[in-house]
Structure formats: structure tokens, C-alpha cells
Amino acid sequence: MKKKPFKAESKRLLGLMINSIYTHKEIFLRELISNASDAMDKLYFKTLTEDGLSFDRSDFEIFIEADKDNRTLTIRDNGLGMTKEELENNLGTIAKSGTMDFRQENKDNLEKFKPERMGEEENEEEDDSASESQDTPLDAAEETTAAQPAEEDEAKEAGFDIDIIGQFGVGFYSAFMVSKEITVISKAYGSNEAWRWQSEGADGYSIEPYEKEGFGTTIILALKDNHDEENYSQYLDQYKIQDIVKKYSDYIRYPIKMALTKRRPKATEDSDDKKAPEYEDYQEIDTLNSMVPLWRRNKNEVNGEDYEQFYMEKFSNYEIPLTYSHISAEGTISYDGILYIPLNTPYNYYSKEYEKGLQLYANGVLIMEKCADLLPDCFSFVRGLVDSPDLSLNISREMLQQDRQVKAIAKSLDKRIKSDLLKLLKNDREKYEGFFKNFGMQLKFGIYNSFGADKDKLQDLLLYHSLKEDKMVTLAEYLEKMTEGQETIYYACGSSISRIRQLPQTELVLDKGYDILALTEDVDEFAIKIINEYQGKTIKSVSDKDLDLESKEEKEATKEQAETHKDLFTAMKEALGDKVKEVRLSKRLKSHPICLTSDGPLSIEMEKVLNSMPTDNQVKADRVLEINGNHPVFAALTKLEGSDPEKLKTYTTLLYHQALLIEGLTIEDPVSFANSICELMS
Ligand code: ADP
């Protein structure tokens, strides 16, 4: 038979997937049922929106058949079906799922990931020999349990995070965990050709015309042989199947039917009481699932595990959510919904490839897979669905934005998400901190991108690292612990907490007993400057021009000292030219001799962030070199002022360069810096 190889990376991923993602093999059934249900949803939706078609929900069903003699498990649906092309595209490339184009987004990873033996490129030609002789890593992976650790290590070594794979639509392929061969027979709705797709997993697939009555898809799994560690026969057992369906697919809204063997007393002619009754087996077709969508069920009847399973089935494949929330809203707009926050950051979350959105149902009919208009950008991490009886089925993507109902739902969701997050913050700090680690940056972007419009909504959700307490705190918590007389919320920026701790600017502030919020992310200072004040307290950087740390007397003294040494500062400024805007006496330093700060709205940290972006427009903060008037270095400078102006220049340049290094900036001429130091030493 003619075989086509899978596209190269598919094979590789298939091996990994089979061995790594799913610890519970039984979920293969969930995946196949869910695909069948989707196919019926698609067809049903078509019938609602296209003229001349008329289907009823009850026309659809999924049928499971277990054949113990032949060791096959069959899952049949009368959904939309697939054309030849769709069979090839959907099942021939592992990652071709939904809207995600895996190959584009992961080019780099895949390059790293390709072992030499996968040299055979995509082979669209029909080619017998190619498939038979391939030495693929999957050959080894066939015995799943034995191969697991090696495959996983290899993947890690290749820098490819296995978690990533779980985020793709590998649903169908999970059936290879239990099957040695999979046959898919499908006839697309409206077509009069049927096709048979067949594959043993690793070495490609074959496809040929086939006879099939009616549209839809039939999937036949030839189960693997049992071995010591795995009993595949269990998936033919009706009780096991009933169990799995109940556990993972109960809410599927189409009936999942199966002929069950039951036992009843045999009807006998004479009714002699003393004789033990005889029994006979008979077959009866039962519906295995309750068919009520989870979101329509009474919250009291649904437990945490149900929500988690539902999430895995619909949104994740492999990972439970961090939290969930079930909404039944009534009033001006009524809707049911389930919202989830993922446990981890999706691999492409902070990139423009990531698509936000919730599934949108109109009275139980899926009308959109990802409705972006339901979620504000700042909460784009939320997954889930919304079902409302008030929506029109024929609503188009363009109309959605204008739709009053959709707007009303979005507004209500926005409030709900915020209150859910606040609740989590209050009731489960550890979980919240986990959430914040993954998605906190998005909240800060939200404040920045909205130019402050969303500040009130988001500022109470923020966490910052407190230098004093060495843990994450909210702005409200910072306020609670403020020292008497403290009027300002202080923050400091740097590439890491430890670097921030070492900044000369932080010493005096901490010494006064004031806490400092340590900001380490690029967006941090931009966002906090937009917040600007919290509950009437100004938020200031420890590098801000005016920190107000001194008493009245101290201020007077500093002013006097600055006046006395005016010429020294002027000389130093001249030595540095336009590298700095000013050299001045510092009011913020304690044991350190110098620091670099800036005047004006652009801080040094912001300058760094902006200049790291790929544009030609470099910005420059108005740098100020500050000198500690109580430091021996200052005394040395004052001595040089009159006696050795050249040396004063050298010292000034040295100090400036030191200040740059402390701030984490590079120095323009490191060689002359090094030479100057050597000169001092000799
Ligand atoms: P996902 O379901 O995440 O998209 P799968 O690997 O499970 O990924 O399926 C890939 C694609 O194959 C589906 O998106 C769908 O287009 C198609 N497909 C799978 N099973 C069926 C089916 N029973 N009927 C029609 N199409 C199907």
C-alpha cells in the first residue's frame, strides 16, 4: 500500500507526545469524543445559518463499539466529516490544529530539535519506499513505558519544553497511546466521496477512496497488545468505557451511545419457585452521558474536579487550571459562563501571536471559538466560555463589536474577573502570587497601555517586592506598614532585587525606616509612573530629584555646603561636558560617595528599556552626578579644586564611570577607565 510520511516535525512530536504528555492513557477517548462533538457542532451550526438545511440536535449522535474478538474500538459520528484534503491536513500534520500554525511560530525550536535522521523533508509525493524504510525515533517509542525517560531527556536537552507540545492540538494523536493502528473513514457533508485514512503511528499514513453510507467520521482503533505494564484490553470493557465517558465527557451535548450487554432472568414456562432463576444476556443501546453542558448545571452539583476535567478537555489537553469561576448572571443581560486562569503562562502569551478570547455560545450553540471582544487586554489570560440566550445566531464578527449584548457581557465579565482576582488575593495568597508571577506583567501593561484609564481597576491587583519585608506586597499593604511621618511610597528600579539592594540611593531611605518596592521588569517604571499616587500618597523613585528625606536643619546645611562649593561642581560639570546635565551635592547618600540620577520625566531605567527596543531613535535621560558631601572622596575633590585642576578632571571622569557601572550602564571607554585606575595605583 502506498504510504505518505508524516511531515517531519509531526513524527518527532508524535513520539514525544505519546511518551510524555499524557499520564492517563484513557483520555484518548475524551479527545476522540470531543472531536466528534465538535464536528457535529460545526454541522449543526451550518444548518442554522445556511438556508435550506434543517437539522435537529437530536439527529446527531456518537456511537461507540467495542469488538473484543478483533480488539478494535470504534467511535462513530455523523458530524461534518472530512474531505480527502482535510484528512491529510488535519491528521497528517500533528500540529495543524485550529488557528495555530505551529510550524511558523516554532521554527527556531524545531530547527534545534531536528535530529539528522529526519533529513527526509516533507514528502508530498506518493512514495512507497520512503515510508517503509524510515528509521524514526518513534520506532523505539512504540513501547511507550520503556521509552519514556530517554525521550523526555532528549527533548529537554534539545531545549524544547515538553509543556509546549501539550498546548497544541494533539488530541487525535493521543489515540496512538493505545492503538497499533488507526483507521479513519470519513465522508464530508455534501460530498459524495468517502475516504479511508490509515496509520500505524510512526511511519506515515495511507489514504484511499472508500465506500461509506452517510456523512460523518468513523474512527477504528486497533488496540495494542497487552504487556506486563499495560492492559489495553480494558478499553474494550463496557464498564471501563462507561466510566471514562462519565468522567470526562458527561456534559457532551450529543448522546454518546453504546450497546451494553445486560443480564435478565430468563423467561421460563413453568414458574416453579424452588428452582434457582436462570439468566440470559441481552443487548441494549444506552446513552452513557447526561448531556447537560457543565455551565448549565447547578453549581451545587458540580465539583472542582468536574471543572478541571472540563478545562483540560476544552482548553488545555494536559494541565489543570489555576482557578475557575462559574457565573450565572441574570438581569439586564443573562448569561452563563465558566472562566479559568491557566496554571502557567502559555508559551506565546507575551507575543503578538497570542489570541485572547472566550468561546461564545448563543443558547448552547457555539458561534465563535475565540471571541476577543469579551475580554479586555489586561485580562487576556482568561480562558473559558460564555453562553447567552440573548444573542443572535447570525451575528458576524464585524457586528459583534457593535453588539449591545456582547458589550454588556464584556462589561460584566470585566468586573467579575477583577473581583475574582481580588478574592483570590485575599483567600489564597500563594495561588495569587503564582498567578501574578505568570500574568502580573499583563496587568502592568494594562495600566500603561490605557494611559491610566484602567489604573483604578488594576492597581489593587499589583504586587511588588518589598525590600524591607523581602516578599511581595500590594500597594495597600505598603501603605499599612508605612512609618509615622512617611508621606511617600518609594520604589527603586534595577535588573534584579540584589542589584537594587546595592544601589547607593536605597541606603538612606531604608535607614529612615521606609520600605522600598523593588521593580525589576521593563514595564514597571512606566506603569508605576502612571499610577503616580496611591490613596493620596505620592509614589517616588529613590532616584527622584526631590526625596524630602532631610529635616529642615539638614536642608539648610546642605544648601549652605552646595553654595560654598559651587565652583567645584561647575568645574566637575565642565570636565564631563554634555555627558551630564549637572553635578551636584547629594541629599540621598549615606555611606556611598556617588550616584547617578536624572532630572525630568525620563529615568535612567526607562532610558535603558527604551534604548533596548529595536528602533533607531535612541533617547537619553538628563543625567545628574550626585556627590556625597560627607564622604572622604568629597574632601579629596575639594583639595584638588585649587591645587590640581587636571587631576580633578581625571577624578571626576572616574567617578562618573563608577556611577555608570553602579547603575548597570556600560562605559563608553573602558580602557581609559582602567588606565586611570592603574595610574592612581602607581
Ligand atoms: P484539535 O481537536 O485540537 O483541533 P485534533 O488533532 O484532535 O486537534 O484534530 C485535528 C483536526 O482534525 C480537528 O481540528 C478537526 O478539524 C479534524 N477532526 C478530528 N476528528 C474529527 C471528526 N471526528 N470529524 C471531523 N473532523 C475531525
Side-chain angles (χ1 to χ4, degrees):
M1 178 166 306
K2 290 185 169 183
K3 276 193 186 176
K4 297 183 181 189
F6 284 112
K7 301 203 172 166
E9 71 275 18
S10 306
K11 276 190 297 203
R12 189 68 185 147
L13 288 174
L14 182 51
L16 277 169
M17 196 279 304
I18 289 177
N19 294 297
S20 315
I21 295 178
Y22 296 115
T23 37
H24 302 295
K25 291 193 162 58
E26 64 189 25
I27 59 90
F28 79 91
L29 191 57
R30 168 188 91 181
E31 298 298 323
L32 297 183
I33 288 174
S34 152
N35 282 349
S37 166
D38 287 350
M40 298 191 286
D41 269 348
K42 285 177 198 162
L43 183 52
Y44 180 57
F45 183 59
K46 211 174 153 89
T47 68
L48 287 170
T49 49
E50 282 175 24
D51 291 342
L53 298 170
S54 68
F55 273 108
D56 197 82
R57 266 268 153 75
S58 59
D59 293 332
F60 297 107
E61 63 178 33
I62 298 167
F63 211 97
I64 301 180
E65 241 173 71
D67 180 340
K68 286 189 176 160
D69 297 334
N70 292 312
R71 286 181 68 75
T72 58
L73 185 67
T74 301
I75 296 98
R76 212 166 57 218
D77 69 64
N78 53 352
L80 191 61
M82 283 175 275
T83 60
K84 179 181 188 228
E85 214 178 21
E86 283 164 344
L87 278 165
E88 295 203 277
N89 284 336
N90 296 340
L91 310 183
T93 306
I94 189 167
K96 256 257 164 67
S97 159
T99 47
M100 276 199 272
D101 193 350
F102 173 86
R103 302 201 301 144
Q104 267 309 314
E105 287 163 11
N106 283 279
K107 251 191 182 145
D108 295 347
N109 274 332
L110 286 167
E111 281 315 318
K112 269 193 271 172
F113 202 50
K114 260 185 213 165
E116 309 80 68
R117 58 186 163 187
M118 287 175 57
E120 74 276 351
E121 260 312 295
E122 302 179 8
N123 193 346
E124 301 285 2
E125 307 285 300
E126 310 229 329
D127 178 0
D128 310 32
S129 57
S131 53
E132 296 315 356
S133 59
Q134 277 160 31
D135 168 23
T136 72
L138 277 182
D139 298 338
E142 225 39 291
E143 280 308 317
T144 58
T145 39
Q148 183 161 344
E151 284 279 345
E152 218 169 295
D153 283 354
E154 212 184 312
K156 286 208 182 100
E157 219 170 83
F160 197 95
D161 190 345
I162 282 173
D163 281 359
I164 290 176
I165 303 161
Q167 298 183 26
F168 298 99
V170 287
F172 169 77
Y173 285 84
S174 63
F176 280 112
M177 292 191 295
V178 299
S179 320
K180 49 184 180 190
E181 185 184 59
I182 301 179
T183 306
V184 181
I185 299 162
S186 197
K187 190 179 201 173
Y189 180 80
S191 158
N192 41 28
E193 309 178 319
W195 294 90
R196 187 182 72 172
W197 180 99
Q198 215 160 26
S199 168
E200 288 169 19
D203 59 348
Y205 61 91
S206 65
I207 188 157
E208 58 181 21
Y210 207 72
E211 285 299 312
K212 181 185 184 318
E213 250 183 56
F215 50 86
T217 303
T218 302
I219 296 179
I220 305 160
L221 311 179
L223 294 183
K224 287 186 183 177
D225 300 327
N226 294 340
H227 57 76
D228 289 351
E229 281 159 53
E230 202 66 53
N231 167 23
Y232 295 102
S233 301
Q234 60 176 319
Y235 303 119
L236 297 168
D237 179 78
Q238 67 180 32
Y239 299 108
K240 181 70 184 177
I241 296 171
Q242 275 177 290
D243 248 24
I244 303 178
V245 169
K246 202 77 197 150
K247 185 166 165 195
Y248 299 108
S249 312
D250 188 59
Y251 68 89
I252 293 281
R253 74 177 103 209
Y254 304 101
I256 303 167
K257 292 184 179 171
M258 185 172 170
L260 298 180
T261 305
K262 298 183 177 178
R263 181 158 282 201
R264 65 184 164 202
K266 217 171 181 173
T268 44
E269 276 122 55
D270 60 322
S271 50
D272 186 348
D273 285 354
K274 278 172 200 139
K275 243 169 131 191
E278 278 188 57
Y279 290 93
E280 62 176 359
D281 286 348
Y282 71 103
Q283 297 242 308
E284 192 172 77
I285 294 178
D286 266 12
T287 297
L288 310 184
N289 55 330
S290 74
M291 294 193 281
V292 184
L294 192 67
W295 60 93
R296 291 271 182 91
R297 284 179 44 194
N298 194 318
K299 283 179 215 171
N300 309 331
E301 295 166 13
V302 190
N303 63 34
E305 206 181 321
D306 294 332
Y307 289 112
E308 289 177 0
Q309 287 299 342
F310 181 74
Y311 173 79
M312 305 237 280
E313 198 284 309
K314 270 205 143 29
F315 304 108
S316 143
N317 280 331
Y318 75 113
E319 196 177 69
I320 58 161
L322 180 80
T323 63
Y324 58 84
S325 132
H326 188 160
I327 313 171
S328 315
E330 267 165 59
T332 36
I333 178 99
S334 39
Y335 67 94
D336 297 308
I338 305 182
L339 304 181
Y340 293 98
I341 296 177
L343 191 62
N344 286 302
T345 327
Y347 78 100
N348 64 352
Y349 185 65
Y350 289 108
S351 79
K352 64 179 189 317
E353 273 80 34
Y354 179 82
E355 276 185 85
K356 65 167 182 171
L358 301 177
Q359 278 193 340
L360 183 60
Y361 291 79
N363 216 0
V365 183
L366 180 67
I367 55 173
M368 196 174 289
E369 191 59 47
K370 270 203 176 154
C371 178
D373 300 314
L374 288 173
L375 287 178
D377 281 340
C378 58
F379 296 146
S380 60
F381 45 81
V382 174
R383 313 288 316 265
L385 58 89
V386 161
D387 186 358
S388 170
D390 304 335
L391 291 168
S392 144
L393 271 177
N394 280 308
I395 198 158
S396 72
R397 225 164 257 270
E398 298 71 49
M399 277 156 61
L400 262 181
Q401 269 178 331
Q402 312 301 327
D403 193 87
R404 214 162 37 84
Q405 260 88 6
V406 173
K407 274 190 187 157
I409 297 176
K411 201 169 154 199
S412 148
L413 287 173
D414 192 26
K415 277 203 199 121
R416 174 68 185 230
I417 295 167
K418 177 178 174 183
S419 72
D420 281 351
L421 286 172
L422 283 174
K423 236 187 262 164
L424 188 67
L425 173 65
K426 192 164 155 240
N427 301 331
D428 194 339
R429 182 68 171 225
E430 202 181 318
K431 247 188 193 178
Y432 188 84
E433 290 192 12
F435 152 76
F436 195 80
K437 208 165 134 229
N438 291 330
F439 301 110
M441 194 147 71
Q442 187 65 14
L443 302 179
K444 295 172 193 166
F445 276 127
I447 290 177
Y448 181 66
N449 290 338
S450 70
F451 302 106
D454 283 344
K455 159 183 143 167
D456 288 341
K457 175 167 100 190
L458 299 174
Q459 62 187 5
D460 286 314
L461 296 173
L462 300 180
L463 293 178
Y464 293 106
H465 188 96
S466 142
L467 280 193
K468 218 165 135 183
E469 303 195 37
D470 207 13
K471 62 175 195 194
M472 301 298 274
V473 298
T474 61
L475 289 172
E477 285 160 357
Y478 182 102
L479 233 57
E480 268 166 38
K481 298 232 164 141
M482 273 184 28
T483 315
E484 242 199 70
Q486 184 182 352
E487 283 305 315
T488 308
I489 298 173
Y490 294 100
Y491 71 88
C493 300
S495 57
S496 69
I497 310 247
S498 58
R499 278 202 85 133
I500 293 175
R501 265 190 205 289
Q502 287 161 359
L503 283 176
Q505 297 92 304
T506 57
E507 192 184 21
L508 192 61
V509 179
L510 287 173
D511 224 52
K512 295 251 170 202
Y514 305 157
D515 196 1
I516 297 174
L517 302 172
L519 274 49
T520 52
E521 282 175 345
D522 282 358
V523 64
D524 271 333
E525 194 168 18
F526 294 88
I528 211 160
K529 277 198 186 245
I530 284 190
I531 301 178
N532 192 38
E533 62 159 53
Y534 182 78
Q535 311 271 343
K537 305 279 181 202
T538 331
I539 304 177
K540 270 188 188 172
S541 159
V542 293
S543 303
D544 236 60
K545 188 167 183 185
D546 192 11
L547 279 189
D548 236 0
L549 291 172
E550 305 163 293
S551 66
K552 219 173 161 192
E553 295 79 53
E554 285 167 330
K555 266 187 197 153
E556 282 302 315
T558 320
K559 207 172 158 191
E560 222 181 282
Q561 196 183 13
E563 194 55 43
T564 318
H565 298 283
K566 214 167 125 198
D567 294 342
L568 172 66
F569 295 120
T570 312
M572 288 176 81
K573 154 74 183 134
E574 267 166 26
L576 293 174
D578 56 9
K579 288 194 181 75
V580 296
K581 188 190 155 220
E582 197 186 335
V583 177
R584 69 174 167 235
L585 196 67
S586 184
K587 301 171 198 166
R588 73 183 92 234
L589 293 175
K590 194 169 170 242
S591 63
H592 299 270
I594 42 149
C595 71
L596 195 68
T597 63
S598 69
D599 278 358
L602 193 65
S603 74
I604 300 213
E605 208 54 38
M606 291 162 96
E607 172 194 302
K608 271 193 247 170
V609 174
L610 292 173
N611 288 346
S612 71
M613 301 194 176
T615 78
D616 291 337
N617 295 335
Q618 297 283 297
V619 297
K620 198 156 186 211
D622 286 332
R623 295 175 183 189
V624 175
L625 180 64
E626 296 194 9
I627 317 280
N628 182 352
N630 301 318
H631 198 277
V633 160
F634 183 71
L637 291 170
T638 50
K639 262 191 216 144
L640 288 178
E641 190 193 345
S643 62
D644 193 344
E646 269 317 300
K647 208 165 198 175
L648 179 65
K649 268 189 200 165
T650 315
Y651 276 29
T652 305
T653 314
L654 263 178
L655 288 173
Y656 172 67
H657 283 152
Q658 284 179 11
L660 288 178
L661 290 175
I662 292 170
E663 277 297 315
L665 292 160
T666 48
I667 45 186
E668 289 131 57
D669 188 353
V671 177
S672 89
F673 174 67
N675 287 344
S676 306
I677 291 183
C678 290
E679 225 169 88
L680 274 180
M681 287 178 175
S682 49

